Amino acid sequence: MSLSFDPDSLTLPVGHFIGDRLVAAEGMIPMKRPSDGKNYAGCPVADADVVDQAVQTAKSALKTSNWGGLRPRERLNLLHRWADLIEQEAETLARLEAISSTRPVGQLVSGDIAVSAEQIRFFAEFADKEGGELVPTDDGNLGMIMTEPYGVVGAITPWNFPINMAAWKLGPALAAGNAVVLKPSEMTPFSTLYLAELAVRAGIPAGLINIVLGDGMTTGNAITGHPDIAKVSFTGSTRAGSAIMENIARTGIKPMTLELGGKSPQIVFADADIEKAAAAVTASITSNAGQACVAGSRLIVEKNASARLIEAILKRMKTIVPGPTWDAASQYSPIISDRQRQRIDDIVTASVAAGAERLTGGSSMDLPGYFYAPTLLTGIDQTSPAVVEEIFGPVLTIQTFEEEEEAMALADHPSYGLAAGLFTSDLSRAIRLTRRLQAGTIWVNRYGRSRDHILPTGGYKQSGIGKDLGREAFQANRKSKSVLISL
Ligand code: NAD
């Protein structure tokens, strides 16, 4: 059966998911489909009372199920069963996500959803392997570090990879013995609601996963400021991350993980495999139409290789197939909203006014919905808006260098440090520069994650605090207690 579907005949879940069911909801934010701009649904807004209901449900589920105190292998088995169901229900999940988001349905099933199920299993495996430790003390004492779940974790996710971002939050929190109250983006809530329903069907005790819908100001603030939310895990913009820190500081100190924005460089030396670099650079800025935190949006290329590289990138950009997210043949995504598309265009226009040259793109595409053409800007300096701002769209800036030091200076962004790419065949240089680049993830002769989920992800500078993925993400969902026993 084809994965393509008719968006007008899809039944959407309505309400918040609290306990074991969808509950009726009030207040509706109008929603438009990015692929054709049509109004099609409304997103409810959970106020402080609804958020409190979800938090109390989570607290009581933790108590009655003894989730954190179960034999760890039991938690692990239930999470594995949930991952199995996610795979079995991949087509339904994919449609619920594709209708509201920028993710093409074909890429969802084989990509985002398969990876999310795998990552949930990855986190589940820590449940019975990662614990406290005995520490060296003198003979008269026994010292140990015990670890325990926090209790109820508050999670907030963005719209750009909804299922995957939810898996990054729910997987480690649940494996570590917590319950979760999660708010997906108000633009893409449906697939996350269905994830919660599948968890209950898999046998995960009802109430451990609660999904409340709404915006940042009402629902987000109610989560981060709730006294019974013991820890906050957020992925989104640096601006919202900063507002969350402020709210937490005002309402009661609690630990937080913040995965924020980026403006990641890709540095290509002339000795690199230029075709391979072109493929990686193009994919990193056109995948999800550049709406990825780690989008490699700043190309920094050695001058004598720039013509070859640009030609190869232009060639690849021409073969990209745009189309609605509900068409299984679509490869290139729309922008999430008309407002965001306008913002991209404003930054491109301002950069051109400031002296940048447009090699391709720089305008909306002649299609229904909010498509924006892959865009290359050259002749650009460090102060250009397109180099400074996180555009979150398919816009690649190109800067050239002649000396390694110059490349390093261009790569260093004043506020972001999420990821960086480095392309060279000189191993010594690769290692030397990897040490110097100020980013939480460095990719050498490739760009983008593999399915090695053990590698954590997180930002330097204002790109974030703490890590998702890896052992760190599991550990960040448990608090530690130091114990010293006199013998
Ligand atoms: P956003 O910050 O506008 O919203 C993210 C989520 O936070 C949404 O659910 C939103 O409703 C909520 N929110 C907004 N303001 C809030 C507040 N004051 N309190 C609580 N919640 C609030 O981001 P977005 O537009 O949805 O996503 C794009 C951003 O996310 C980009 O900056 C991107 O780089 C970042 N991102 C980072 C990572 C990472 O791993 N570092 C991954 C994906 C996306």
Side-chain angles (χ1 to χ4, degrees), residues 115 130 135 141 208 225 229 317 339 355 357 373 393 472:
V115 168
E130 187 79 20
V135 296
N141 287 298
L208 291 184
I229 293 273
M317 282 182 165
R339 189 162 150 233
E357 185 193 345
E472 279 87 341

Side-chain angles (χ1 to χ4, degrees), residues 223-274:
I223 293 174
T224 59
H226 196 292
D228 292 336
I229 293 273
K231 179 208 151 81
V232 167
S233 184
F234 172 74
T235 297
S237 61
T238 297
R239 180 193 46 76
S242 161
I244 286 171
M245 284 186 94
E246 209 177 312
N247 196 40
I248 290 177
R250 242 176 356 92
T251 53
I253 304 290
K254 60 187 68 155
M256 60 187 123
T257 304
L258 302 176
E259 298 295 344
L260 309 177
K263 189 71 194 170
S264 302
Q266 304 199 67
I267 308 164
V268 182
F269 285 88
D271 64 7
D273 177 336
I274 296 296

Side-chain angles (χ1 to χ4, degrees), residues 156-159 183 186 216 234-237 240 259-261 293 390 392:
I156 298 176
T157 53
W159 51 262
K183 188 195 89 61
E186 56 273 38
F234 172 74
T235 297
S237 61
E259 298 295 344
L260 309 177
C293 54
E390 184 189 40
F392 225 57

Side-chain angles (χ1 to χ4, degrees), residues 158-416:
W159 51 262
N160 61 338
F161 296 98
I163 290 177
N164 198 224
M165 294 298 103
W168 284 15
K169 305 299 183 198
L170 294 169
L174 289 167
N178 301 283
V180 183
V181 173
L182 185 149
K183 188 195 89 61
S185 166
E186 56 273 38
M187 291 187 267
T188 54
F190 304 119
S191 51
T192 309
L193 288 171
Y194 196 53
L195 272 184
E197 186 183 323
L198 292 178
V200 173
R201 267 165 52 189
I204 292 176
L208 291 184
I209 300 179
N210 303 281
I211 310 297
V212 288
L213 309 192
D215 61 7
M217 286 318 289
T218 308
T219 316
N221 271 330
I223 293 174
T224 59
H226 196 292
D228 292 336
I229 293 273
K231 179 208 151 81
V232 167
S233 184
F234 172 74
T235 297
S237 61
T238 297
R239 180 193 46 76
S242 161
I244 286 171
M245 284 186 94
E246 209 177 312
N247 196 40
I248 290 177
R250 242 176 356 92
T251 53
I253 304 290
K254 60 187 68 155
M256 60 187 123
T257 304
L258 302 176
E259 298 295 344
L260 309 177
K263 189 71 194 170
S264 302
Q266 304 199 67
I267 308 164
V268 182
F269 285 88
D271 64 7
D273 177 336
I274 296 296
E275 271 306 317
K276 189 176 171 187
V281 169
T282 312
S284 86
I285 197 65
T286 56
S287 160
N288 209 26
Q291 300 164 108
C293 54
V294 293
S297 52
R298 293 187 296 133
L299 173 61
I300 296 166
V301 53
E302 194 165 355
K303 202 166 191 169
N304 57 7
S306 71
R308 264 188 303 148
L309 183 61
I310 290 169
E311 192 190 327
I313 293 172
L314 280 168
K315 208 159 111 196
R316 284 173 181 276
M317 282 182 165
K318 287 205 179 88
T319 65
I320 286 165
V321 184
T325 49
W326 43 79
D327 182 342
S330 301
Q331 293 170 0
Y332 184 69
S333 302
I335 303 302
I336 188 69
S337 66
D338 199 28
R339 189 162 150 233
Q340 171 60 8
R341 179 171 64 168
Q342 189 56 53
R343 180 178 172 269
I344 294 170
D345 199 53
D346 289 347
I347 296 175
V348 170
T349 305
S351 305
V352 170
E357 185 193 345
R358 209 162 33 82
L359 292 184
T360 188
S363 60
S364 296
M365 296 172 102
D366 190 17
L367 290 168
Y370 310 135
F371 289 86
Y372 198 84
T375 301
L376 287 186
L377 296 179
T378 188
I380 206 155
D381 69 25
Q382 287 296 78
T383 62
S384 170
V387 172
V388 177
E389 301 279 329
E390 184 189 40
I391 299 179
F392 225 57
V395 181
L396 181 69
T397 60
I398 304 168
Q399 295 170 282
T400 57
F401 66 91
E402 289 178 70
E403 303 294 333
E404 202 174 283
E405 281 309 312
E406 214 184 327
M408 285 293 97
L410 289 172
D412 198 35
H413 192 279
S415 49
Y416 291 121

Side-chain angles (χ1 to χ4, degrees), residues 31-230:
M31 299 173 76
K32 289 186 176 186
R33 300 192 295 230
S35 294
D36 65 4
K38 276 194 194 153
N39 265 309
Y40 73 107
C43 178
V45 179
D47 61 13
D49 287 344
V50 174
V51 170
D52 183 56
Q53 192 192 332
V55 174
Q56 300 315 326
T57 302
K59 273 177 76 177
S60 94
L62 276 176
K63 207 163 164 187
T64 51
S65 68
N66 189 30
W67 181 246
L70 287 186
R71 194 165 61 87
R73 197 96 206 144
E74 279 184 53
R75 283 206 303 272
L76 183 156
N77 287 336
L78 287 169
L79 288 168
H80 272 260
R81 221 178 289 159
W82 182 33
D84 293 344
L85 258 188
I86 289 171
E87 282 172 343
Q88 284 163 28
E89 292 288 318
E91 290 188 11
T92 306
L93 272 169
R95 290 182 181 130
L96 289 173
E97 178 135 318
I99 192 168
S100 58
S101 77
T102 59
R103 305 295 302 131
V105 67
Q107 293 175 17
L108 277 163
V109 170
S110 57
D112 309 35
I113 295 172
V115 168
S116 297
E118 197 174 273
Q119 287 169 339
I120 287 168
R121 290 193 191 97
F122 166 83
F123 284 119
E125 289 298 333
F126 284 106
D128 68 348
K129 295 176 190 68
E130 187 79 20
E133 59 177 312
L134 280 180
V135 296
T137 56
D138 62 63
D139 278 356
N141 287 298
L142 178 68
M144 53 185 161
I145 301 167
M146 291 170 67
T147 69
E148 316 175 330
Y150 277 100
V152 184
V153 171
I156 298 176
T157 53
W159 51 262
N160 61 338
F161 296 98
I163 290 177
N164 198 224
M165 294 298 103
W168 284 15
K169 305 299 183 198
L170 294 169
L174 289 167
N178 301 283
V180 183
V181 173
L182 185 149
K183 188 195 89 61
S185 166
E186 56 273 38
M187 291 187 267
T188 54
F190 304 119
S191 51
T192 309
L193 288 171
Y194 196 53
L195 272 184
E197 186 183 323
L198 292 178
V200 173
R201 267 165 52 189
I204 292 176
L208 291 184
I209 300 179
N210 303 281
I211 310 297
V212 288
L213 309 192
D215 61 7
M217 286 318 289
T218 308
T219 316
N221 271 330
I223 293 174
T224 59
H226 196 292
D228 292 336
I229 293 273

